[in-house]
Amino acid sequence: MADLSINLAGIKSPNPFWLASAPPTNSGYQVQRAFEAGWGGAVWKTLGEPILNVSSRFAAISFNGQRVMGFNNIELITDRPLEENLKEIYETKKRFPDRAVVASLMVEPKREKWHEIVKRVEDVGVDGLELNFGCPHGMAERGMGSASGQVPELVERQTYWVKEVARTPVIVKLTPNITDITATAEAAAQGGADAISLINTINSLMGVDLDTWNTIPHVAGKGAHGGYCGPAVKPIALNMVAECARHPRIRIPISGIGGISNWRDAVEFMLMGATGVQVCTAVMHHGFRIIEDMIEGLNHYLDEKGIASVMDIVGKSVSKYSDWGDLDLNYKVVARIHREHCIQCNKCYISCEDASHQCIERLVDENGKEYLKVREEDCVGCNLCSIVCPVDGAIEMVEVPSEHPPMTWNERQVALGRLSGCSVDIKSL
Ligand SMILES: Cc1cc2nc3c(=O)[nH]c(=O)nc-3n(C[C@H](O)[C@H](O)[C@H](O)COP(=O)(O)O)c2cc1C
C-alpha cells in the first residue's frame, strides 16, 4: 500500500482528501463524522463577523440524467457564533490530532480585524489558516471575499497582515472571477502566503423560470448572482491550477478545488501541481462515505504504477502544459473508423459534414453493405467524430508520420524573422 500522507506547506494529513470550506464543514458534529469516515482534513466553514442568510440558497443543473452536474449557491459564511465554532474546532482537533483542521477566515480588509481573528483561531489549535478571498456574493458587497480577491494589491496587503501574526501556515483561497488567476496568486505569494487554494465558486445565474419569470433560485421573487461549482467547473479549475503551477514566480504549494468528485479527478489535480485536494459539491450530493472509494482508488492507482508515495505524483504533468505557440504544428492524428464496432448511427458523418471538414465517406462494400470511411488525406484530426461517436472503440484517433520535422508556431515566427509571436503591433491599432 502506498503512502497517501501529504505535507502541504507544513500542514500534514494522512491522505490528500480534505473537505472544502462549505456546508459539510459547518460544525464539529459534521467534521468529526467526516473524519470517522476517513477524510484527511477539513477546512472549516468560513469564520468571520455575524451574517444573515437568505432562503432559498441553492440550485443545480442536471444534464442528460446526471443530477447536480453544476451546483449554485447564494449562501454566505458561517451563521453560527464564533465562540461555538472555536469550541468545536478545539474538540475536533483534540479527538483527531492526526487530521488537518484549517480555519477559513474572512473579515473586513482591516489590519486589526485580521490580527484579532487569526489569534483567536490559532489559540484553539488549528493546523493552518485559509483566507477566503473568493466568496462571490454577499460578503463581496461589503468589500470582503472576491471584492478583495479580485484586486492583487488587496490580496497581497491582507496576506501580509495575516503573516505578521500567524504562527501556522497561511493558505490564500483565490476567486476564479478574474481574468488572470496568476495575478492574484502571485500577489498572495508576494504577501508571504505559504500556499494557495483554488478555485472558489464562479459567478453564475442558474436559470429563469419560464412560467413565473423568476430567477432560479429566487428569494421572494428576486435573484442575485450565485457561485457555481460541481463537476461542470472541473476543467476551469484544473486550468487555473495548472496556470499557477507552471508560473515561474508562484513557487508555493497548491490545494486544488473545483468539481473533484472521485479519486481520478484528484489525481489529475495532483499531476497538474496540487499537493492535495478539497471537495464540496460531491459530498453535498453523495455524503461523506465517498471517501472510501477515493482512498481505495488512489491506493490501487499508485500500487499499479509502483509509486510509493502520493507526494511523488505532484506536478508530474505540469511541464506537459504549455502555451499554444509551443505546440508542434507538424504533429498529425487522423480518425480511423473500426467497422466491427460501428453501429452505423451516422453521428460522425453528420458532425464531420456539417461542422468539420467533410472527410467521412458513406460507402457500400462488395456485399452491398453500407459503411463509413475516413478520407485520411483530408482529415485534420480535430477529434469531433470520436467525441460524438456513442460507441467506445469505434473511432480511434491514430498518429500518422509527418513529412516535416517538428516546428512550433513560435519557432516558425523566428524562422520567418518575426521575433515576437504576434505579428500585429497592438499599440499601433
Ligand atoms: C453551499 C456552498 C457554500 C460555500 N461556502 C463557502 C465558504 O463559506 N467559504 C469558502 O471558502 N468557500 C465556500 N464554498 C466554496 C467551496 O469551498 C468550493 O471552493 C467550491 O464549491 C468548489 O468546489 P466543488 O466543486 O467541490 O464544490 C461554498 C460552496 C457551496 C456549494
Side-chain angles (χ1 to χ4, degrees):
M1 286 240 285
D3 176 8
L4 298 192
S5 67
I6 61 158
N7 182 337
L8 186 135
I11 307 174
K12 294 181 184 153
S13 67
N15 64 56
F17 304 114
W18 295 4
L19 292 171
S21 174
T25 61
N26 198 38
S27 65
Y29 168 75
Q30 289 164 284
V31 175
Q32 290 181 30
R33 280 187 49 240
F35 285 169
E36 278 165 14
W39 288 87
V43 184
W44 211 269
K45 174 78 185 165
T46 303
L47 309 170
E49 278 139 31
I51 54 96
L52 291 173
N53 266 312
V54 292
S55 158
S56 62
R57 301 173 205 175
F58 303 156
I61 285 183
S62 302
F63 185 73
N64 250 355
Q66 186 190 331
R67 304 287 287 172
V68 195
M69 186 206 65
F71 192 83
N72 163 283
N73 84 88
I74 51 172
E75 175 177 294
L76 306 185
I77 63 173
T78 184
D79 49 15
R80 304 170 65 232
L82 182 60
E83 293 67 31
E84 240 171 69
N85 279 301
L86 293 177
K87 185 171 159 279
E88 292 172 20
I89 289 173
Y90 174 78
E91 286 163 2
T92 305
K93 189 62 209 171
K94 220 168 139 197
R95 225 188 118 200
F96 294 92
D98 67 326
R99 310 303 164 91
V101 177
V102 175
S104 169
L105 307 175
M106 185 199 280
V107 290
E108 278 176 66
K110 291 185 181 147
R111 189 168 178 232
E112 64 281 7
K113 296 260 182 196
W114 280 111
H115 283 190
E116 187 195 329
I117 195 149
V118 166
K119 193 173 171 325
R120 291 192 71 180
V121 296
E122 287 195 334
D123 281 350
V124 293
V126 294
D127 299 296
L129 312 170
E130 186 180 79
L131 316 186
N132 180 355
F133 294 137
C135 192
H137 44 259
M139 316 308 291
E141 280 77 357
R142 294 168 229 175
M144 294 176 267
S146 65
S148 273
Q150 286 162 337
V151 184
E153 294 75 26
L154 288 178
V155 170
E156 181 177 340
R157 195 178 317 149
Q158 292 179 84
T159 307
Y160 182 80
W161 289 338
V162 169
K163 284 296 291 181
E164 285 178 328
V165 291
R167 287 172 278 125
T168 61
V170 175
I171 307 169
V172 171
K173 184 168 181 180
L174 302 174
T175 175
N177 299 313
I178 183 162
T179 314
D180 178 6
I181 193 90
T182 64
T184 43
E186 196 183 340
Q190 283 290 327
D194 299 287
I196 47 175
S197 57
L198 60 151
I199 58 173
N200 208 309
T201 53
I202 302 173
N203 283 348
S204 58
L205 168 56
M206 291 301 265
V208 180
D209 187 300
L210 296 189
D211 292 323
T212 61
W213 301 356
N214 279 333
T215 60
I216 303 170
H218 72 91
V219 178
K222 270 207 171 163
H225 76 263
Y228 198 45
C229 52
V233 310
K234 189 191 125 194
I236 298 165
L238 192 56
N239 169 58
M240 289 186 168
V241 164
E243 290 296 348
C244 291
R246 75 191 182 97
H247 194 287
R249 288 189 301 279
I250 307 169
R251 288 273 161 253
I252 49 178
I254 299 171
S255 178
I257 320 171
I260 296 164
S261 308
N262 53 48
W263 68 268
R264 284 190 178 80
D265 297 335
V267 169
E268 288 179 57
F269 273 79
M270 294 188 77
L271 289 170
M272 269 303 168
T275 300
V277 296
Q278 300 184 28
V279 179
C280 163
T281 302
V283 166
M284 292 185 73
H285 190 182
H286 303 293
F288 294 135
R289 291 278 300 273
I290 61 169
I291 188 63
E292 292 170 16
D293 284 348
M294 293 176 102
I295 289 176
E296 197 183 316
L298 180 60
N299 248 322
H300 277 146
Y301 173 79
L302 295 173
D303 287 351
E304 262 177 23
K305 290 219 166 289
I307 297 170
S309 161
V310 71
M311 290 291 280
D312 292 341
I313 67 168
V314 175
K316 284 290 184 279
S317 295
V318 174
S319 64
K320 293 175 183 281
Y321 203 54
S322 191
D323 294 325
W324 187 91
D326 294 327
L327 306 182
D328 178 10
L329 297 169
N330 292 327
Y331 175 78
K332 185 149 193 239
V333 291
V334 295
R336 222 161 261 171
I337 299 173
H338 295 296
R339 269 186 84 179
E340 66 278 22
H341 298 305
C342 175
I343 56 167
Q344 299 280 332
C345 68
N346 280 331
K347 275 195 160 297
C348 62
Y349 175 80
I350 294 165
S351 293
C352 187
E353 205 61 13
D354 292 0
S356 193
H357 285 70
Q358 301 81 44
C359 61
I360 297 181
E361 293 181 345
R362 284 203 284 212
L363 303 171
V364 180
D365 69 13
E366 61 279 9
N367 302 316
K369 277 190 91 176
E370 280 190 6
Y371 69 101
L372 296 161
K373 190 168 190 299
V374 176
R375 230 177 25 259
E376 291 188 5
E377 61 276 22
D378 293 329
C379 175
V380 298
C382 72
N383 283 352
L384 182 62
C385 56
S386 70
I387 289 168
V388 300
C389 176
V391 183
D392 283 344
I395 301 183
E396 190 185 357
M397 300 305 297
V398 191
E399 183 182 341
V400 288
S402 169
E403 296 152 25
H404 307 289
M407 178 176 276
T408 67
W409 173 262
N410 290 341
E411 288 165 348
R412 187 170 179 271
Q413 293 303 95
V414 172
L416 292 173
R418 299 182 201 138
L419 281 175
S420 121
C422 179
S423 56
V424 180
D425 178 5
I426 294 167
K427 287 192 198 106
S428 70
L429 293 177

